[in-house]
Amino acid sequence: MSLVKLTIKGISYSQTQNGAYALILNELDGERKLPIVIGAFEAQSIAIALEKEIKPPRPLTHDLFKNFAERFDIVVKQVIIHKLVDGVFYSSIICERDKIEEIIDARTSDAIALALRFSAPIFTYKNILDKAGIYLKSNPNPSADPEADEIDSILSNPQTFGLSEEAKSSGSAYASYSLQELNVLLDQAVLNEDYEKAATIRDEISKR
């Protein structure tokens, strides 16, 4: 079976599962997307790895794993999403130490969080992408395809990271703060290890 390389398109808050996030992977040489529902902690860890400007004062679990692996000369070479059963994706982490390759079973969210930290490529098999891959296009008639509307809804609200319903509807809970105040709040949130808040403040700063 041929492997297909994937890139990370983004993380969106899931409107259909409370407290869950949707990780959207994109095939490198195509238009199909592979949506994977992940938990809030894993979404936070992946988002921090994607956003280089947020530096946790202490290592998160995946950072600790990377430090541990590097100390013992273990390198993550690649991650393969190799199986899909009843809507659940199964992944393997391909590691190498002293030119000896090992395969470690892992949850897909953990595997991707580590792949980002090791700058390792992410793959899946073509048959999995054929089965679970989707094309995301705007729907001219919303009532005609509720499933497509649901996907569009998930992707239209990226990285809300725990905002209240009021904050979501108003656009941002920090719209009234000055840029200087936002930078102070961002530093405080990182020091307090409140990464959900930090990500929200960072989004508001980026918008400015």
Side-chain angles (χ1 to χ4, degrees):
M1 291 182 291
S2 59
L3 287 172
V4 179
K5 190 172 183 179
L6 302 171
T7 59
I8 296 177
K9 180 177 176 63
I11 304 172
S12 297
Y13 186 77
S14 174
Q15 306 298 313
T16 59
Q17 298 193 38
N18 188 30
Y21 289 76
L23 172 66
I24 310 299
L25 302 174
N26 191 85
E27 65 176 323
L28 186 62
D29 299 317
E31 297 297 325
R32 286 177 296 182
K33 310 294 186 293
L34 194 65
I36 301 174
V37 176
I38 61 176
F41 172 78
E42 291 77 14
Q44 172 183 284
S45 182
I46 291 171
I48 287 174
L50 289 170
E51 302 293 340
K52 306 297 183 183
E53 66 267 24
I54 296 180
K55 301 292 184 183
R58 295 185 298 172
L60 299 178
T61 302
H62 297 109
D63 298 317
L64 177 61
F65 187 97
K66 180 176 185 289
N67 295 339
F68 187 91
E70 288 181 336
R71 185 65 59 90
F72 291 93
D73 298 322
I74 300 169
V75 178
V76 172
K77 304 295 290 184
Q78 62 183 7
V79 162
I80 299 176
I81 303 171
H82 63 84
K83 186 168 64 172
L84 174 62
V85 180
D86 296 330
V88 178
F89 293 92
Y90 293 78
S91 295
S92 295
I93 301 173
I94 314 302
C95 303
E96 186 178 273
R97 180 173 183 265
D98 295 333
K99 297 184 179 180
I100 299 175
E101 190 175 273
E102 298 285 350
I103 301 175
I104 300 175
D105 181 46
R107 295 188 305 170
T108 298
S109 54
D110 290 328
I112 291 174
L114 289 172
L116 285 170
R117 285 162 170 79
F118 281 91
S119 299
I122 303 165
F123 296 94
T124 191
Y125 289 110
K126 184 179 181 297
N127 65 324
I128 292 178
L129 197 57
D130 290 341
K131 182 178 180 181
I134 57 175
Y135 291 92
L136 295 180
K137 297 180 180 178
S138 57
N139 187 12
N141 185 3
S143 61
D145 191 351
E147 184 176 353
D149 291 341
E150 177 181 305
I151 294 169
D152 289 341
S153 176
I154 291 174
L155 290 177
S156 65
N157 296 281
Q159 296 186 22
T160 53
F161 287 99
L163 282 176
S164 64
E165 292 302 321
E166 181 181 354
K168 291 177 193 175
S169 62
S170 63
S172 173
Y174 299 97
S176 61
Y177 287 84
S178 70
L179 196 57
Q180 183 178 1
E181 289 172 330
L182 287 172
N183 281 301
V184 172
L185 288 172
L186 177 60
D187 291 340
Q188 290 176 346
V190 172
L191 285 174
N192 294 331
E193 300 184 21
D194 188 347
Y195 302 119
E196 293 183 4
K197 183 177 180 181
T200 304
I201 297 170
R202 179 218 58 216
D203 287 345
E204 180 63 31
I205 293 173
S206 298
K207 191 189 304 181
R208 303 290 180 89

